[in-house]
Amino acid sequence: MTRILRAIGARTVDGIWRMGFAARFFAAILMRSGTSFARFQLTIREIFSTGVLSLIIILVSGFFVGLVLGLQGYETLQRYGSSDALGILVALSLVRELGPVVAGLLFASRAGSALTAEIGLMKTTEQLKAMDMMAVDPIARVVAPRFWGGVISMPLLAALFSTMGVFGAWFIGVVFIGVDDGAFWSQMQASVDFRYDIVNGVIKSVVFGFAVALIAVFEGYDSAPTAEGVSRAITRTVVNSALAILALDFVLTSFMFRGNG
Amino acid sequence: MSVSFPSGDTLVDVSSVDFAYDKRPILSGINLRIPRGKLVAIMGGSGCGKTTLLRLIGGQLRPTGGTITVDGQDLTKLARKDMYALRRRVGMLFQFGALFTDLSVFENVAFPLREHTDLPDDMIRDLVLMKLHAVGLRGAHKLMPNELSGGMARRVALARAVALDPMLIMYDEPFAGLDPISLAVVGQLIRKLNDALGASSIMVTHDVHESLEIVDYIYFLSGGKVVAEGTPDEIRASTDPFVKQFVNAETDGPLPFHFPSGSYRDALMEGRP
Ligand SMILES: Nc1ncnc2c1ncn2[C@@H]1O[C@H](COP(=O)(O)OP(=O)(O)OP(=O)(O)O)[C@@H](O)[C@H]1O
Ligand SMILES: [Mg+2]
């Protein structure tokens, strides 16, 4: 019994230590972000590589999620004779929840894991030490641009995901099932509020971007410098990002949407 | 053994330095000096702390005791910014090359120039090709690091280490993985770079015979201590058992081959590693 308690205690303390390290690491990234903006082409390169890495999977998944939402939404709505509201249902689900959350999860598993692997391998092969020895700060030169690249790509990818989703739902609902085209769009336009729905959705995706990018670069930088260490770090990135996204989503949602919209 | 240190003023002064990883002592009471303009070799068995010593001199590790001064600056007292200012004038060849895998050979050598100078592109191009030519790899400038052999990679790393014409160059086993011809060429190159740049160099190596040809002074490390030192002539003439064992590659002698451990017989008897 005491052994179990002790193990739980050790894990908790360990977890809190790591959170402390991550927080300090975050502060270090912010303080050394000058280079990422002064030489913005470094960050653009990272936006390009993380963005392009995730683009296909985001577009395809968004489309399929839209198709499913269209089918399920229509199935439920037509029971109450309100299948015209399909546009609202789909747009709100995507913009408020599914866009940021699913895009975030996909982003973590595609781009986040790649970031961790890249930084972890640079550490394993002493590239970071060599850079430090050349008087080039690896946090400023390698970590920060990747971090900001992730932070900037994430909302863009979430927006693309939602757009593809709406398109997918329109495709199945309007083209196949025969929901009225005009009603689909006009109801959506009338009921989706810019400030309340879209801005809140964007805020979510930005927060998720920060969380996933921080976890990914931290796990890479903190990985044990061996092949096994890097592979563990990648697993931790994917698992911790998913947990962080879902937990943050709950917190943000409870602050943002109180049923008075 | 006579300690006839070459005269001249000192660039690197390591004085009674101790170092331990966690609680395991690696170096204890190390004293050595690198005079300006000289090429000094550090030799010793595998795992005796040579790379660690270079890291200490480069300021990437902090000694647990003692002081290290480089160009008159006490490393333990330097702020990050000043440490970086100092490191701009220090080149280091890492034991495993440590080339940036996402950059081509050309860009690897250009990296320090791009980071630390505002030179125009065509000037950078000329400088990089010159350094690559010196290591015999000008033709390989378009290749990526994964397309290089081990020996080629260290030569590129060498070119990168000297890209900024540093005042202090540290080589961690520059000869590992080189064929006899490249080995001799790289040995001459290290000597030439040292003299042409007016730099000082520290070279960690196992290659006694090549180093006896090119260096000015040699330190032998064993068990975390400097056990012998001298000029090449003194080393050749030495009767010190460490030196003789190392120079003649004898298996029996004071230099241990095994990582410190309990008795092998006891381990076998008790079935533990
Ligand atoms: N990061 C580390 N953590 C703990 N111990 C380490 C670490 N790096 C090296 N050591 C230990 O320090 C000792 C000295 O290592 P070092 O790399 O300096 O040896 P070396 O003299 O360069 O050996 P070689 O000639 O094989 O390169 C070794 O016994 C090694 O086990
Ligand atoms: Mg070594």
mmCIF file of all heavy atoms in Angstrom, chain B residues 50-51 95 172-173 204, ligand 2:
data_model
loop_
_atom_site.group_PDB
_atom_site.id
_atom_site.type_symbol
_atom_site.label_atom_id
_atom_site.label_comp_id
_atom_site.label_asym_id
_atom_site.label_seq_id
_atom_site.Cartn_x
_atom_site.Cartn_y
_atom_site.Cartn_z
ATOM 1 N N LYS B 50 38.502 13.208 -22.037
ATOM 2 C CA LYS B 50 39.096 14.188 -22.951
ATOM 3 C C LYS B 50 38.026 15.113 -23.532
ATOM 4 O O LYS B 50 38.192 16.332 -23.551
ATOM 5 C CB LYS B 50 39.841 13.462 -24.078
ATOM 6 C CG LYS B 50 40.921 12.513 -23.578
ATOM 7 C CD LYS B 50 41.632 11.798 -24.697
ATOM 8 C CE LYS B 50 40.753 10.917 -25.554
ATOM 9 N NZ LYS B 50 40.148 9.765 -24.874
ATOM 10 N N THR B 51 36.937 14.498 -24.002
ATOM 11 C CA THR B 51 35.860 15.314 -24.540
ATOM 12 C C THR B 51 35.303 16.234 -23.448
ATOM 13 O O THR B 51 35.021 17.411 -23.686
ATOM 14 C CB THR B 51 34.741 14.404 -25.095
ATOM 15 O OG1 THR B 51 35.293 13.600 -26.130
ATOM 16 C CG2 THR B 51 33.593 15.212 -25.656
ATOM 17 N N GLN B 95 33.418 15.422 -31.832
ATOM 18 C CA GLN B 95 33.894 14.058 -32.057
ATOM 19 C C GLN B 95 33.114 13.355 -33.163
ATOM 20 O O GLN B 95 33.668 12.601 -33.937
ATOM 21 C CB GLN B 95 33.803 13.267 -30.751
ATOM 22 C CG GLN B 95 34.436 11.897 -30.822
ATOM 23 C CD GLN B 95 34.661 11.306 -29.432
ATOM 24 O OE1 GLN B 95 34.292 11.885 -28.432
ATOM 25 N NE2 GLN B 95 35.280 10.150 -29.388
ATOM 26 N N ASP B 172 38.222 17.454 -31.556
ATOM 27 C CA ASP B 172 37.988 16.228 -30.804
ATOM 28 C C ASP B 172 38.150 15.047 -31.759
ATOM 29 O O ASP B 172 37.262 14.740 -32.542
ATOM 30 C CB ASP B 172 36.587 16.249 -30.181
ATOM 31 C CG ASP B 172 36.470 15.237 -29.045
ATOM 32 O OD1 ASP B 172 37.372 14.389 -28.914
ATOM 33 O OD2 ASP B 172 35.469 15.299 -28.310
ATOM 34 N N GLU B 173 39.284 14.408 -31.693
ATOM 35 C CA GLU B 173 39.622 13.261 -32.539
ATOM 36 C C GLU B 173 39.449 13.545 -34.026
ATOM 37 O O GLU B 173 38.619 12.912 -34.689
ATOM 38 C CB GLU B 173 38.785 12.049 -32.126
ATOM 39 C CG GLU B 173 38.836 11.888 -30.627
ATOM 40 C CD GLU B 173 38.729 10.468 -30.160
ATOM 41 O OE1 GLU B 173 38.519 9.600 -30.992
ATOM 42 O OE2 GLU B 173 38.899 10.254 -28.948
ATOM 43 N N VAL B 204 42.475 16.582 -29.396
ATOM 44 C CA VAL B 204 42.335 15.330 -28.652
ATOM 45 C C VAL B 204 42.513 14.211 -29.651
ATOM 46 O O VAL B 204 41.912 14.239 -30.732
ATOM 47 C CB VAL B 204 40.936 15.246 -28.023
ATOM 48 C CG1 VAL B 204 40.598 13.821 -27.659
ATOM 49 C CG2 VAL B 204 40.861 16.144 -26.800
HETATM 50 MG MG MG C 2 35.642 11.802 -26.578
#
